Amino acid sequence: MTIGEISQEIGLSADTLRYYEKIGLLPNVPRDNSGKRNYDENFINWIKFIQTLKNSGMSLNDIIEYINLAKCGNNTYQERKNLLIKSKQILLEKMSNLQSMIEKANYQINNYDNILVPKTNALIF
């Protein structure tokens, strides 16, 4: 399967697939005689696995670490789980920050006429 074909099937750009290979997220993709990448079902499974971890909030660096740990065997079970826990904590922090921003936006909307309009007018006029 060519990079274009797998790109279309998976929904990732060819550039993203090349980048994943370059940074070590994907194993080296075999190439045909003309040098074109030749993906097989195993690579589709790799990409779907990467997407699963990415969709849970993991960074690409953490996914690389997770994969490297997994290659070391089951004795890295807890370390891999800790990466997932770390990703969840980061998401919770982001969610908290977003909630705080929403509250500030609500305050500004609710007090628009009394606070923001006078401040805006003082700066502009």
Side-chain angles (χ1 to χ4, degrees):
M1 187 177 280
T2 67
I3 197 166
E5 292 168 338
I6 199 167
S7 173
Q8 193 168 28
E9 181 172 329
I10 297 295
L12 293 175
S13 71
D15 288 338
T16 298
L17 293 172
R18 286 185 201 97
Y19 179 70
Y20 282 3
E21 185 181 356
K22 178 182 174 185
I23 65 172
L25 269 176
L26 288 174
N28 290 331
V29 179
R31 296 176 184 256
D32 64 17
N33 291 336
S34 63
K36 292 182 180 179
R37 288 171 176 83
N38 187 16
Y39 293 90
D40 62 16
E41 189 67 30
N42 184 50
F43 287 97
I44 293 173
N45 292 333
W46 266 103
I47 295 163
K48 287 180 179 179
F49 182 69
I50 291 165
Q51 286 177 315
T52 297
L53 293 175
K54 197 167 182 249
N55 289 339
S56 71
M58 266 188 152
S59 70
L60 293 181
N61 287 336
D62 283 348
I63 295 171
I64 291 170
E65 185 176 352
Y66 182 96
I67 290 170
N68 288 333
L69 286 168
K71 289 177 182 177
C72 293
N74 287 334
N75 59 328
T76 64
Y77 170 89
Q78 191 59 49
E79 291 171 87
R80 288 180 276 152
K81 187 174 182 180
N82 288 344
L83 286 171
L84 290 166
I85 292 167
K86 173 186 151 190
S87 294
K88 179 184 174 187
Q89 285 305 117
I90 291 169
L91 289 172
L92 289 170
E93 288 172 21
K94 287 180 181 179
M95 198 166 75
S96 176
N97 289 338
L98 286 172
Q99 185 59 46
S100 176
M101 293 168 76
I102 290 170
E103 289 169 9
K104 289 174 185 172
N106 283 336
Y107 177 81
Q108 291 172 349
I109 291 167
N110 292 335
N111 295 286
Y112 181 74
D113 291 331
N114 299 327
I115 296 175
L116 284 181
V117 170
K119 285 184 180 181
T120 303
N121 289 342
L123 290 170
I124 304 299
F125 303 109

